[in-house]
Amino acid sequence: MKSIIVVLIVTAIAFAFGVGAGAQSVKLAGTSAYFWCVALAMAINWVVFVPSAIAKSDTFYDTTGAITYATVTVFAGYVSYAHHGSLDTRSLVMAALVILWCARLGTFLFIRIHAMGGTDSRFEKIKVNPARFLVAWTLQGLWVVLTASAAHVAILAETRAPLGLFFFAGLAVWLLGFIWETVADAQKSAFKNDPANEGKFINVGLWKWSRHPNYFGEITLWTGVLIMAIPVLSGLSWLVVISPIFVFILLTKISGVNLQMKQGLERWGDDPEYRDYLANTPMLIPSPPKSCR
């Protein structure tokens, strides 16, 4: 019962956000088109949940998240095109950035989950309980909704604006975040795939500058998306400022940093080198290693 209540609350939050943030978006069937984006994001995850729950499998959880981002973004672009008769440069670029990001991350996560044997330790206890497993899939729908809200609301904005400082500044911030995250993930994969590093923690490359450089990149790129969207935001559509804030809270307070820290302490908590790494390396915002200062 508690899980069902959580599902209902999360769903209510998602749709309430859709109504508010989409107040200035173009209409579809007499309703805010952004509201339909929210409905699509939630529906995709619920549909895939059914066979996953039957099979008690989380193999396609992360992949479904990436597919949801891409599908909703294409849908938003199509609706905007149908309404305006064309897609302006801002909408085209923002849609392309979201799809590029989810294609890169989705591929990375798909390869990682199969390298782990097709299962994720996060779901070991909950995938055998349909109600609790449904909570995870519903939360993923909300994750997509809130994270990509600035891009989707901007694409569906009734009013358009010429390109300017916000667009190019946001694009630059996005590129920094995307490159930082991509390089960090590649470095960690290469480190783990080297037999010489078996049982070791990563402290090379960007991981010398930050204990979570991939998370820094993730937060940065969604901040860039928000900056690009600013000229077309008005009224309640400003609710999308929650996008990078939500990503920051999610990665530093809920699932990312906390989980990684717990696992790290369990594996290397008694290692003086690991303790030194924790003491001298920033948690998130990169800083040159002490030897470089």
Side-chain angles (χ1 to χ4, degrees), residues 5 19 37 53 55 63 84 100 107 112 133 157 206 213 215 231 257 276 285:
I5 291 174
V19 171
C37 285
T63 304
H84 291 289
L100 175 60
T107 300
R112 188 181 71 174
F133 203 24
L206 296 181
Y215 296 160
V257 171
D276 183 66
I285 301 176

Side-chain angles (χ1 to χ4, degrees), residues 23-290:
Q24 309 300 323
S25 78
V26 302
K27 298 296 186 289
L28 177 64
T31 303
S32 159
Y34 180 65
F35 179 85
W36 291 111
C37 285
V38 173
L40 180 59
M42 303 303 287
I44 291 172
N45 282 275
W46 288 333
V47 167
V48 181
F49 155 75
V50 175
S52 298
I54 293 173
K56 294 182 174 59
S57 170
D58 57 83
T59 301
F60 297 105
Y61 182 83
D62 289 327
T63 304
T64 300
I67 291 173
T68 305
Y69 276 103
T71 303
V72 176
T73 301
V74 171
F75 174 76
Y78 173 77
V79 173
S80 181
Y81 177 86
H83 178 84
H84 291 289
S86 65
L87 280 178
D88 64 342
T89 302
R90 186 189 313 277
S91 297
L92 280 170
V93 172
M94 294 184 80
L97 295 183
V98 174
I99 291 173
L100 175 60
W101 168 82
C102 70
R104 201 287 306 178
L105 185 61
T107 300
F108 172 78
L109 294 175
F110 182 80
I111 293 173
R112 188 181 71 174
I113 192 67
H114 281 274
M116 295 165 59
T119 188
D120 190 324
S121 59
R122 293 175 298 171
F123 303 103
E124 284 183 5
K125 296 181 179 179
I126 66 173
K127 64 186 178 183
V128 296
N129 183 315
R132 293 183 65 192
F133 203 24
L134 178 58
V135 171
W137 290 87
T138 304
L139 285 171
Q140 178 161 256
L142 180 65
W143 169 58
V144 173
V145 167
L146 296 182
T147 301
S149 60
H152 295 155
V153 167
I155 292 170
L156 290 166
E158 182 71 56
T159 303
R160 290 177 167 177
L163 302 184
L165 177 62
F166 283 110
F167 175 82
F168 294 106
L171 180 58
V173 172
W174 186 91
L175 287 171
L176 170 64
F178 182 76
I179 292 171
W180 202 273
E181 180 181 38
T182 302
V183 171
D185 282 340
Q187 289 177 338
K188 189 169 186 177
S189 293
F191 184 88
K192 285 188 172 183
N193 292 332
D194 186 346
N197 295 322
E198 180 69 28
K200 298 181 180 179
F201 64 91
I202 182 170
N203 59 352
V204 297
L206 296 181
W207 300 83
K208 275 186 176 182
W209 293 57
S210 167
R211 303 203 306 270
H212 304 282
N214 52 340
Y215 296 160
F216 170 78
E218 179 85 352
I219 296 165
T220 299
L221 69 87
W222 288 114
T223 301
V225 170
L226 174 62
I227 294 171
M228 294 174 70
I230 286 176
V232 296
L233 299 180
S234 63
L236 288 175
S237 66
W238 279 100
L239 286 171
V240 301
V241 298
I242 197 173
S243 169
I245 297 173
F246 170 74
V247 174
F248 173 81
I249 294 173
L250 177 68
L251 294 179
T252 62
K253 304 298 183 181
I254 301 176
S255 66
V257 171
N258 290 342
L259 181 60
Q260 295 290 328
M261 177 66 74
K262 180 181 178 182
Q263 294 175 339
L265 290 174
E266 288 176 353
R267 297 186 65 182
W268 305 294
D270 296 328
D271 185 342
E273 290 188 15
Y274 183 68
R275 289 288 186 178
D276 183 66
Y277 177 69
L278 293 181
N280 296 291
T281 308
M283 179 191 77
L284 188 68
I285 301 176
S287 177
K290 287 188 176 182

